[in-house]
């Protein structure tokens, strides 16, 4: 396999250290980085760590190394020294050969299959409400991480576990039973998951009505008088007492808990209602996933997996890594790992959520043989996953060292945090409609799609709107909490998805124009081009870093790196477009080279945006 430029430069520096200073160059740590934009060059060697072996000042070392590399390493054309930093200028011929032999390939940046399987879990919604903005960030991160891993050579299995059981689900079911009057999504004309979600909100409204009435009762006032701390207002007390009221006093709470018990006992009536309402939600989810361009390889359902994990608990007891309390409950002491003591089985023999996760991890390993599993879940669950991964390590599961929690910050609105039960969320479907509507307004102002059929115009407008939405979310690093401003997200200028799309469209437009005018993009002709302009060198250098960036983004599960790469590449293409002629270039060789450069940039933008789940249109 041909060495990369960093490898070539590092080997050259090591040889120089040996030849110039009589030291073992291979024993030295060579620090190589990208040259800062204000200086000439592509790669910079940091010379400060070499002062001990060279016994010279950094500037002197940099000049020594620069002269040596320029003479001995064919790829180095020139150098300059800035305060001990050696900036290396790479030969035009190297960049030209790279562009015309590698970067123009359709599969540029894609690694060969490595034979490893990775399971990526994302979305994993509850079936009591439609997908919302928070889910959108989860889905986009999980999908992009999957695409990155595939590009890096992994066999990726995309999965989700659907949380289709529990008290929240029963709240929606009970509200429909009590207040639905037999309505259906078809009879109301509502999207089916929104239909069910409305009943979840309705339950909360009815519960709050019941709770407010109860607060005026003698029973409630007596509890307040006995329990409230001195100086605490009735409003503050009852706000904090809501959960206790639901569990101990509420009639609606009692009915919901009874429905959950009947579900667990396989009551046919409750199970039939549960299946009907869940199927409504599944149909709605599928519509939303299709609109986002997302698919899964396998779905897991909590109603099937919640009983899993008991065998794992028995295994832990046999290995003496889990222990039994006097009341019969099972726990693991994780304090030596700076985690808390964790209960794994209640005294009555029933499992808890983390027990299910233990069993599900083993089930996925049995299904796919994957020794790497990625969980895309908000940072509210950091402690949960740290605990889960530690438990699996102590159980000596074969995949335990390959577990990773893709933790991401929550999404707020300018007005504050979203709350599903209060109906203060931004639904994914409504959000997509809004950005597509904004894209249509911008498109009409620019008259950019005139002459196309209405179907083609609608398809392009949809691609632009979804690019605005997806790019706006993905460009933020996963660990950062973000505030989503719908107006800002659909800005069609600057650091946005449509800005990158427009750069791709330009590359396609120039090739169409070349076909019309008969301009040649012949590769052999392009090889005759000499003396690359700085803007051309910059674009080719950016392209050169794409394959390595894909690897880095895949291993760090950070698609924001790709988003910013696409933006910077698009920005440099727009600048090149403004400063240089392509079809009217000075020679046929220059025309051919620049057409191939546009092709490579366009292909890479398309690949990069595809990694983010974003389509690029041919026109816009």
């Amino acid at each position: 396999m041909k060495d990369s430029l960093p490898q070539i430069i590092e080997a050259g520096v090591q040889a120089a250290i040996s030849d110039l200073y009589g030291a073992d160059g291979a024993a030295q740590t060579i620090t190589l980085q990208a040259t800062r934009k204000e200086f000439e060059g592509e790669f910079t060697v940091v010379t400060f760590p070499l002062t001990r072996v060279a016994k010279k000042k950094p500037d002197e070392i940099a000049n020594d190394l620069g002269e040596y590399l320029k003479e001995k390493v064919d790829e180095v054309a020139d150098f300059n020294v800035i305060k001990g930093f050696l900036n290396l200028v790479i030969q035009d011929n190297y960049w030209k050969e790279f562009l015309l032999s590698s970067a123009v390939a359709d599969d540029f940046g894609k690694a060969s299959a490595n034979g490893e399987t990775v399971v990526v879990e994302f979305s994993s919604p509850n079936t009591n409400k439609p997908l919302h903005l928070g889910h959108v960030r989860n889905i986009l991160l999980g999908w992009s991480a999957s695409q990155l891993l595939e590009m890096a050579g992994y066999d990726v299995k995309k999965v989700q576990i659907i949380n289709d059981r529990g008290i929240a689900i029963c709240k929606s079911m009970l509200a429909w039973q009590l207040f639905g009057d037999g309505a259906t999504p078809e009879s109301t004309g509502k999207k089916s998951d929104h239909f069910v979600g409305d009943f979840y909100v309705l339950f909360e409204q009815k519960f709050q009505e019941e709770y407010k009435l109860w607060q005026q009762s003698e029973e409630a006032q007596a509890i307040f008088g006995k329990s409230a701390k001195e100086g605490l207002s009735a409003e503050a007390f009852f706000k904090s007492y809501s959960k206790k009221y639901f569990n101990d006093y509420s009639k609606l709470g009692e009915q919901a808990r009874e429905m959950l018990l009947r579900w667990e006992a396989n009551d046919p009536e409750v199970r039939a209602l549960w299946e009907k309402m869940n199927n409504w939600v599944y149909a709605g989810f599928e519509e939303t996933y299709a609109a986002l361009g997302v698919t899964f390889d396998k779905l897991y359902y909590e109603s099937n997996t919640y009983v899993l994990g008991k065998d794992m608990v028995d295994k832990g007891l046999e290995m003496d890594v889990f222990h039994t309390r006097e009341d019969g409950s099972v726990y693991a002491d994780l304090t030596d790992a700076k985690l808390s003591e964790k209960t794994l089985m209640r005294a009555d023999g029933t499992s808890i959520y983390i027990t299910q996760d233990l069993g599900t991890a083993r089930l996925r390993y049995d299904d796919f043989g994957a020794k790497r599993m990625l969980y895309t879940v908000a940072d509210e669950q950091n402690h949960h996953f740290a605990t889960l991964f530690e438990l699996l390590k102590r159980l000596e599961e074969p995949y335990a060292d390959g577990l990773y929690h893709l933790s991401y910050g929550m999404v707020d609105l300018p007005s504050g945090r979203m709350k599903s039960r209060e109906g203060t969320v931004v639904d994914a479907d409504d959000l997509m409609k809004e950005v597509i509507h904004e894209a249509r307004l911008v498109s009409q102002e620019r008259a950019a799609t005139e002459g196309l059929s209405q179907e083609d115009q609608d398809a392009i407008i949809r691609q632009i709107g979804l690019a605005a939405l997806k790019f706006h979310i993905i460009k933020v690093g996963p660990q950062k909490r973000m505030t989503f401003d719908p107006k800002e997200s659909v800005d069609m200028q600057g650091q946005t998805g449509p800005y990158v799309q427009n750069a791709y469209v330009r590359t396609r437009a120039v090739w169409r124009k070349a076909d019309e005018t008969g301009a040649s993009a012949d590769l052999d002709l392009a090889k005759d081009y000499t003396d690359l302009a700085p803007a051309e060198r910059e674009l080719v250098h950016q392209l050169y870093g794409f394959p390595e960036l894909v690897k880095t983004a895949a291993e760090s599960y950070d698609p924001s790196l790709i988003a910013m790469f696409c933006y910077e590449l698009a920005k440099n293409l727009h600048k090149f477009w403004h400063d240089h002629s392509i079809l009217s270039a000075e020679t046929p060789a220059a025309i051919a080279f620049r057409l191939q450069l546009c092709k490579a940039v366009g292909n890479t933008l398309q690949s990069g945006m595809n990694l983010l789940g974003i389509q690029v249109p041919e026109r816009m």
Side-chain angles (χ1 to χ4, degrees), residues 291-362:
L292 285 170
V294 170
T295 59
F296 294 91
D297 297 301
K298 185 160 186 176
L299 308 182
Y300 295 88
Y301 297 90
E302 188 180 341
S303 55
N304 295 329
T305 62
Y306 81 105
V307 295
L308 297 176
K310 292 187 177 182
D311 289 344
M312 306 278 280
V313 173
D314 291 339
K315 176 185 175 182
L317 289 169
E318 291 174 9
M319 295 173 64
D320 201 32
V321 296
F322 299 164
H323 311 287
T324 305
R325 298 190 182 97
E326 288 185 5
D327 64 359
S329 62
V330 178
Y331 74 99
D333 184 358
L334 306 180
T335 53
D336 59 335
K338 298 183 179 180
L339 296 166
S340 57
E341 189 176 277
K342 184 64 181 178
T343 297
L344 301 169
M345 197 77 74
R346 299 185 184 94
D348 61 4
T350 57
S351 60
I352 61 174
Y353 199 84
I354 202 163
T355 322
Q356 166 190 296
D357 279 353
L358 291 172
T360 303
R362 162 55 71 169

Side-chain angles (χ1 to χ4, degrees), residues 277-291:
M277 294 189 70
N278 274 355
N279 284 334
W280 285 338
V281 175
Y282 300 150
F285 284 173
E286 284 304 310
E287 284 186 44
T288 305
Y289 289 141

